[in-house]
Every structure is written in structure tokens, then in C-alpha cells.
Amino acid sequence: MNEDGMGGGEQKFRLQVEGGKVSDVAGREDSAAPTAKTRVVEFTTPRSKLIEEANQAIRTDLRDYPRALAAYDALRGDPEALAHWDMANYITMRKLGYNDHGRVHAFITGAAGMAITELLLEGGVRTDIMESGVGDADDVFLTVILGTMLHDIGNQIHRVGHEAHGVALALPILDRIMTPLYPDPFKRVKVRSFILGAINCHDLNPAPLTMEGGIVAVADGTDITKGRGRKAFSLGSVDIHSISALAVDQVVIERGRDKPVLISVTMNNSGGIFQVEEILAPKVIRTPMRRFVDLRATTRPEGEEQILSRVRLDGDHFVMDLGGGEQVAVEVMDSQKQAQQAVVDNLGIGTDSR
């Protein structure tokens, strides 16, 4: 990365899919520079291997922070949390056709959050927990790992309002995990408030006010590669979100040259800019992370990969010919028809009575 002027230092986290297909995970220290603590996490199947590699990356980042590590170990084995992740994934993927919002997403964003936090602290940034006098770096890492891994559990109730639902669902888990780690309830409640705030603000609704909340939001926004989009795509969800996700090959989090954090996105097709513009960039711009993060997106040097070869209208469906030879049909989104139906639904009348 440094040779082309993009990078400013060692890579802390890399999320990548190579060769146009889901690749094996490699979570490792750089053999050429074993002290550099370079961790690599790539999407793979089966998901158990991906989760375990992300787990190892997180544990590496937390090895100097015993309270945060203890909280993380308690969370990843908590049956209530495991159930929350699975049900959030069921609703978002099976009922809505969205991307993964379950265990894989939780662990990936957790690993990204750890990398971002480490870079900020190494760059001399003091987060709100530190500035307010509530806690130290150990408390910051604890807040970020619990916030990132629990941020989407509210989806199991409904996508609408999932942030507030997540706050309510996270409370008993946080109290169960944090009580043994914070015997002083005064400090425990203060640290917990930062975690709940991060969960409530991760989708910018409303935008986070704290650095810890900003880290969780940005970490969530980095999970945009084709490995995640492929799941929704394979379930028949073909839209700008899933198609643009297939256009993102790699997300790298590393030390920046002018700012503590540099996030570099590599696309195989310029359609991936939608993911960057609509998902990741707002989470940098509208959070306290704005002053500390550089964001760059480039297409790969070998040129663009074809995702769609042809789209034609057949009745009320678009029929899409994909670059790989597959063909899918997607219903046209008729906004006027949807608005009319919404009025009918709200009035509680059937179409026959109109």
C-alpha cells in the first residue's frame, strides 16, 4: 500500500474476497515482520471458520486489556447473545432479504472495531470515556467490543426501530457480563451508558455524539465486501445494495499518513461506490470520527469485472442476466403503487371497496 501512496503504515485489519469467490480466512501475524501484529480476516465458508479467525484477531487485540478480554469471552459464550444474533439474522436475511446481521457480522465488526480503536489510541486520540474521566483504555476496548457485537440484535424484533430494540435487549446481557468486572455500580453504569449509546446510534438515527459510538458506527460500515452481499444475493435479493456489495473486493484498515486511521476500499466494479457513498462514508462524516479517518476507494488495477450483462423488463419484473451466466427476475419497485397500498393499509380497507 505504501508504494502507491495510499497507505501510511502497517495494516491493522483487512477484509477481502479474492478471485471473485469466497476465500479462506487467514488470521495471522505477518511472517516477515512478526512484531507488526498484522491481522487478516477474509470471508469464507463455513462460517464457523470465519468466526474463529475473527475471534483470534479480537483476542490478539485484547491481550493487554484483561477487563475487555474477560467481557468479550463472556459475551461470545453467552446463550442469550447467541440466540439474539441468530434471530436477528433470521429476520433480516430470511424475511427481508438483507445482508448478514448475525454472528458473522458481529464478529467481523468486532474485529474492525478493535483495529480502529487501537489505531486511535496509538495516534494519541483520547476518547470520551477517557476525556470524561470515567475510565481508561481497557474500558474503551470493553465498550467498543460489546457495542459492536451487540449493535444489531434489535433486528430480531423489527428492522424499524432496531436501534432502540437493541438497547433494551442488550441491557440484561451487559449487566450480567459487567457486574463481576465492575464491583462499583457507579462506574459500571457510567461505562454501560457509552455502550448503550453506541448501540442506539450505530445507524446514525440519531448520529452518535461520542467517539466510542463513532467507532462502532464506522466499524459497522466497513462490512461491505462481496462476501456479505453474496449471501443476500443467493437468497434472491437482487437490488442496488446486493449488486454493489458484489463490487467491493477488499476493505483495509491501517495507520494513516495524515490521520490516525486510513480505510481503503478496493472495488472490482465502479458500482461499488454506492456501498462507500451510502453506507460507509456517512458513518465517517456524521460521527466524531470525521477528524481522525481518511477514506479512499479505488478500482482494482486489472480493470472492472462485469456484474450485470443485460437487464430487460418482462411484465412487472426486471430480468437480469448476470456476468456469471445466471439469470434472475426481480419485481419492479413501483413507488406510486406502494404509496397507494400504504394508504389503503392505513385506512383498513380492501381494494374491492375503492
Side-chain angles (χ1 to χ4, degrees):
M1 295 293 291
N2 290 331
E3 292 179 358
D4 60 11
M6 288 291 289
E10 69 186 77
Q11 291 184 11
K12 293 291 185 181
F13 179 80
R14 177 156 62 93
L15 200 58
Q16 177 176 353
V17 176
E18 296 175 338
K21 60 184 180 181
V22 181
S23 305
D24 281 343
V25 172
R28 60 184 181 273
E29 292 190 354
D30 191 339
S31 58
T35 61
K37 294 196 302 182
T38 298
R39 269 89 58 201
V40 179
V41 179
E42 299 170 353
F43 284 103
T44 186
T45 51
R47 67 175 189 166
S48 59
K49 185 178 180 183
L50 171 57
I51 290 174
E52 179 52 31
E53 294 294 347
N55 165 52
Q56 292 302 320
I58 293 169
R59 292 183 63 82
T60 298
D61 281 327
L62 293 181
R63 60 190 172 193
D64 295 328
Y65 304 100
R67 193 160 49 243
L69 180 57
Y72 167 69
D73 281 336
L75 177 64
R76 71 188 185 96
D78 189 280
E80 192 172 343
L82 294 170
H84 285 334
W85 289 324
D86 288 351
M87 290 312 300
N89 214 31
Y90 176 77
I91 293 298
T92 52
M93 292 190 70
R94 298 293 175 177
K95 308 306 290 185
L96 295 174
Y98 288 1
N99 293 337
D100 181 282
H101 285 75
R103 299 189 197 190
V104 172
H105 180 55
F107 277 83
I108 288 296
T109 54
M114 295 296 90
I116 294 170
T117 303
E118 185 176 17
L119 287 168
L120 290 172
L121 296 186
E122 287 178 353
V125 177
R126 290 178 56 83
T127 71
D128 282 277
I129 283 181
M130 303 167 81
E131 280 294 304
S132 64
V134 168
D136 56 17
D138 203 349
D139 302 304
V140 174
F141 276 96
L142 179 145
T143 294
V144 173
I145 194 59
L146 294 182
T148 49
M149 294 192 68
L150 292 172
H151 75 273
D152 261 341
I153 61 175
N155 281 287
Q156 67 184 281
I157 296 176
H158 203 286
R159 180 65 180 173
V160 177
H162 75 281
E163 305 95 336
H165 297 320
V167 168
L169 292 171
L171 266 170
I173 298 176
L174 295 177
D175 286 342
R176 183 163 58 249
I177 290 174
M178 296 177 69
T179 297
L181 301 174
Y182 294 93
D184 178 8
F186 188 69
K187 180 173 182 177
R188 181 174 70 247
V189 171
K190 286 188 173 184
V191 174
R192 189 187 67 180
S193 72
F194 285 92
I195 303 171
L196 296 176
I199 294 171
N200 189 57
C201 299
H202 74 271
D203 249 357
L204 309 183
N205 183 32
L209 301 176
T210 67
M211 282 292 298
E212 287 78 8
I215 295 169
V216 171
V218 172
D220 181 33
T222 62
D223 192 6
I224 56 173
T225 72
K226 67 170 70 172
R228 189 175 187 217
R230 189 177 301 279
K231 297 177 181 179
F233 202 81
S234 66
L235 290 173
S237 179
V238 183
D239 55 19
I240 185 59
H241 297 279
S242 59
I243 291 174
S244 64
L246 293 178
V248 178
D249 277 345
Q250 176 178 267
V251 176
V252 174
I253 301 171
E254 61 187 314
R255 182 178 294 111
R257 183 165 296 167
D258 301 315
K259 297 181 180 180
V261 181
L262 170 62
I263 302 177
S264 300
V265 179
T266 302
M267 303 175 293
N268 61 63
N269 183 286
S270 53
I273 197 64
F274 178 86
Q275 291 288 101
V276 178
E277 182 181 355
E278 295 293 320
I279 297 176
L280 179 52
K283 295 194 172 190
V284 173
I285 296 170
R286 296 180 55 198
T287 74
M289 292 287 287
R290 180 173 187 168
R291 293 185 295 130
F292 307 109
V293 176
D294 273 330
L295 175 59
R296 303 181 186 181
T298 58
T299 54
R300 61 188 185 185
E302 58 267 35
E304 296 202 359
E305 177 180 302
Q306 187 178 51
I307 298 175
L308 291 176
S309 61
R310 184 177 66 167
V311 179
R312 61 184 174 85
L313 185 64
D314 185 1
D316 62 352
H317 282 67
F318 277 128
V319 178
M320 303 184 184
D321 296 329
L322 307 182
E326 305 97 326
Q327 187 177 86
V328 295
V330 183
E331 185 177 2
V332 176
M333 299 300 291
D334 187 336
S335 57
Q336 184 176 11
K337 178 181 177 181
Q338 289 178 331
Q340 292 172 345
Q341 187 60 48
V343 172
V344 171
D345 293 341
N346 287 331
L347 292 176
I349 60 176
T351 55
D352 293 341
S353 64
R354 288 189 297 156

